[in-house]
Amino acid sequence: MTSAQDWIAHDPDPVTAAELASCDPDEIAHRFAHPLTFGTAGLRGPLRGGPDGMNIAVVVRTTWALAQVLKDRCLGGSLVVVGRDARHGSEAFAHAAAEVLAAEGFSVIYLYTPAPTPVVAFAVRRLGAGAGVQITASHNPPNDNGYKVFVDGGLQIISPTDREIETAITRAPHADTIGRTPVASSGTDIVAAYLERAASVRRAAGPARVALTPMHGVGGEFALDALALAGIDDVHVVEAQFAPDPDFPTVAFPNPEEPGATDLLLALAAEVGAEVAIALDPDADRCAVGVPDGGPRGWRMLTGDETGWLLGDYLLSQLTDPSSALVASTVVSSRMLSAIAASYGAHHAETLTGFKWLARATAPGTALVYAYEEAIGHCVDPDAVRDKDGISAAVLICDLVAALRAQGRTITDALDDLARRHGVHLTGAVSRRVPDAGQAMAALRADPPAALAGIAVDLDDLSRRRGQQRTDALVFTGAGIRVVVRPSGTEPKLKSYIEVRCEPTADLVTARAHAARLRTELEAAAARW
């Protein structure tokens, strides 16, 4: 491990070197105790000096390590795509990564403009690149940034690749001694190809009136271009949130799922009489959908599960022969997609949380046609982007709106139809801060409830599974109820994912009221764990 003194002496950025030099011994010890590691979405951390933050030294050493791993896999000299979002530090970090890769002998496409994360995933797959690097912290707070790696046809890295890179980082040279070769920006052709492919997911015809926000991120112009190529040009944008702004000034937290984050969007949707409202997260790999309803505000945001049902059903309905089609969702997502797939004679796979697993979903004799996670991530064109993609999902949602209008129906009608066919599915989530999530999980394992909301439940402990299905999670299932409990990967919290299912019925009002009462009881139980 590099000492603090050596790190400071060899920090290529005088700003972070000076910052570290001014830290007291306790702060220095804290920053050097736990270097950043690859989690669900790559490296992520606060913008600050030292190995536990995002800075030039960390980016340079990480990129050097990535280069060594690629060379060990006989990919030396291969093509690597480097992209970035518009966060603080992103341009400098992406530039440094591109230069290190070039110095290590790789051919580098350094994207000429801040771009959505799925553009890099697409480029790696389309060009047969050895790897891709995207500098992004997605929907994290303004002072964070991150480093995401794609390999194997545009898929996010999994073990052992992530651990191999981390091991190589420990033997990386001092950051200021790692070679860097200037790289010119490029990639106009691959960006154009991405936009054309995103537009091509459209199946129907006809216009749609859309309200859109990129939430101060990089998705605005990309979404407008893709929608226009798809023949959807009646798009109204939230002007205050359209231009990229790394400070995210109009939202407390730049995540469409957060309370209040889509208030400006829904107000605009109501003002212009939109048929659908779309919110992208700052790196545009996630897509949230709002629809008009009869509630007091006139509009509501769909859950990620509801959008997942709609898109999964729509895509399967377009197939001539769905018998070889595979759709996938995660262990914490709703079970309705499985029922939808079965109704078409298609196949469904359940994976662990995160698109690094969803993108690898397989079943014998099938091809993946759609995957989603409840956290508003949707992969609607796996042959092109083997990851979540907010831009192509936005095109497909607008396409669905137009297709439904041609039938005299709306998104709400489509959700009602799914509920009548497959039963009301009502989801919810509880996140509870605990002193130690590991101890909380151990206590729950030692004394699991025999019943929830008065319903007897069985327990499936996923930590006892083998291989890629093994994870630290507990699944409680009973008649019409399902609760998944797992520790947060980033905070001292227990997260519970709740679903209530009712048998198919024409009386949706009564079924939904019953499901809501059960969900409330389950949420109360989860809040006590």
Side-chain angles (χ1 to χ4, degrees):
M1 175 66 187
T2 302
S3 71
Q5 291 75 19
D6 278 347
W7 186 286
I8 294 169
H10 293 281
D11 191 331
D13 184 348
V15 174
T16 49
E19 175 202 332
L20 285 171
S22 68
C23 290
D24 61 41
D26 287 344
E27 178 65 14
I28 286 290
H30 174 73
R31 293 200 189 188
F32 280 76
H34 301 289
L36 294 183
T37 56
F38 282 92
T40 302
L43 302 179
R44 283 192 192 172
L47 292 162
R48 65 185 185 192
D52 76 337
M54 281 295 296
N55 52 70
I56 292 292
V58 163
V59 168
V60 166
R61 298 179 82 244
T62 300
T63 306
W64 180 89
L66 170 62
Q68 309 318 304
V69 170
L70 293 174
K71 290 177 182 179
D72 289 344
R73 296 183 175 186
C74 299
L75 292 172
S78 62
L79 176 66
V80 181
V81 182
V82 178
R84 67 193 188 280
D85 64 14
R87 283 178 172 268
H88 292 297
S90 287
E91 183 173 6
F93 296 161
H95 193 223
E99 290 190 337
V100 170
L101 288 163
E104 290 293 319
F106 292 86
S107 174
V108 179
I109 291 179
Y110 171 42
L111 293 182
Y112 66 96
T113 186
T117 296
V119 173
V120 173
F122 170 83
V124 172
R125 192 172 184 85
R126 171 64 69 92
L127 300 174
V133 173
Q134 172 79 345
I135 304 298
T136 181
S138 190
H139 53 276
N140 275 37
N143 196 50
D144 285 359
N145 214 322
Y147 187 105
K148 193 168 188 174
V149 179
F150 295 95
V151 291
D152 302 335
L155 280 71
Q156 296 180 37
I157 58 170
I158 57 174
S159 291
T161 306
D162 49 4
R163 304 287 87 90
E164 291 171 358
I165 298 172
E166 290 168 3
T167 298
I169 291 172
T170 64
R171 55 183 175 86
H174 294 305
D176 65 344
T177 68
I178 292 173
R180 294 171 60 171
T181 298
V183 177
S185 60
S186 59
T188 54
D189 290 346
I190 198 64
V191 168
Y194 165 80
L195 290 169
E196 290 171 2
R197 181 67 187 225
S200 74
V201 304
R202 187 151 201 218
R203 268 79 172 168
R209 174 161 286 198
V210 185
L212 171 74
T213 179
M215 208 153 285
H216 300 295
V218 297
E221 293 291 349
F222 282 81
L224 289 182
D225 287 348
L227 288 168
L229 287 170
I232 300 166
D233 55 12
D234 189 2
V235 184
H236 304 259
V237 302
V238 179
E239 294 290 351
Q241 297 177 335
F242 190 75
D245 188 331
D247 292 318
F248 309 110
T250 68
V251 291
F253 199 78
N255 180 350
E257 293 182 295
E258 289 294 312
T262 57
D263 284 355
L264 292 178
L265 172 67
L266 297 185
L268 173 67
E271 177 186 339
V272 302
E275 296 171 277
V276 66
I278 293 174
L280 305 173
D281 73 338
D283 71 329
D285 64 349
R286 303 201 305 162
C287 174
V289 178
V291 297
D293 72 353
R297 298 179 62 190
W299 280 78
R300 75 175 181 95
M301 297 302 294
L302 301 183
T303 67
D305 282 311
E306 288 174 315
T307 304
W309 306 336
L310 290 164
L311 293 181
D313 182 74
Y314 185 48
L315 286 169
L316 288 172
S317 74
Q318 302 297 304
L319 299 178
T320 303
D321 179 15
S323 62
S324 62
L326 175 68
V327 295
S329 54
T330 73
V331 67
V332 301
S333 299
S334 165
R335 302 298 89 192
M336 189 190 274
L337 184 63
S338 177
I340 291 170
S343 72
Y344 285 100
H347 301 262
H348 173 264
E350 178 185 285
T351 74
L352 299 184
T353 55
F355 259 88
K356 65 182 182 181
W357 303 115
L358 279 169
R360 291 176 167 85
T362 59
T366 68
L368 184 66
V369 299
Y370 176 66
Y372 92 92
E373 60 182 354
E374 42 71 45
I376 60 173
H378 305 276
C379 174
V380 304
D381 186 9
D383 287 344
V385 179
R386 205 75 167 191
D387 199 24
K388 56 185 178 290
D389 182 356
I391 304 296
S392 58
V395 172
L396 194 63
I397 278 289
C398 294
D399 186 52
L400 173 59
V401 168
L404 289 170
R405 189 199 325 101
Q407 303 167 10
R409 301 165 65 224
T410 66
I411 289 286
T412 301
D413 294 331
L415 287 170
D416 287 347
D417 289 343
L418 288 172
R420 291 187 189 97
R421 295 205 311 262
H422 306 294
V424 165
H425 287 62
L426 194 62
T427 59
V430 174
S431 183
R432 188 170 79 86
R433 189 169 289 276
V434 293
D436 187 313
Q439 288 183 4
M441 289 293 292
L444 194 54
R445 282 190 170 91
D447 186 22
L452 293 171
I455 299 171
V457 292
D458 295 320
L459 172 61
D460 184 7
D461 186 346
L462 302 192
S463 69
R464 297 178 179 175
R465 292 184 178 180
R466 294 180 179 272
Q468 293 185 349
Q469 289 297 311
R470 185 175 185 272
T471 190
D472 186 7
L474 301 172
V475 182
F476 297 94
T477 54
I481 65 172
R482 185 172 185 271
V483 180
V484 183
V485 187
R486 70 179 181 92
S488 168
T490 56
E491 301 175 275
K493 289 182 177 181
L494 274 192
K495 292 189 170 184
S496 299
Y497 303 83
I498 295 163
E499 182 168 35
V500 179
R501 178 189 177 274
C502 301
E503 290 298 318
T505 175
D507 186 359
L508 297 183
V509 173
T510 300
R512 284 172 175 153
H514 171 71
R517 287 192 296 270
L518 268 181
R519 181 179 64 180
T520 298
E521 292 185 48
L522 293 170
E523 288 172 341
R528 295 190 294 269
W529 290 337

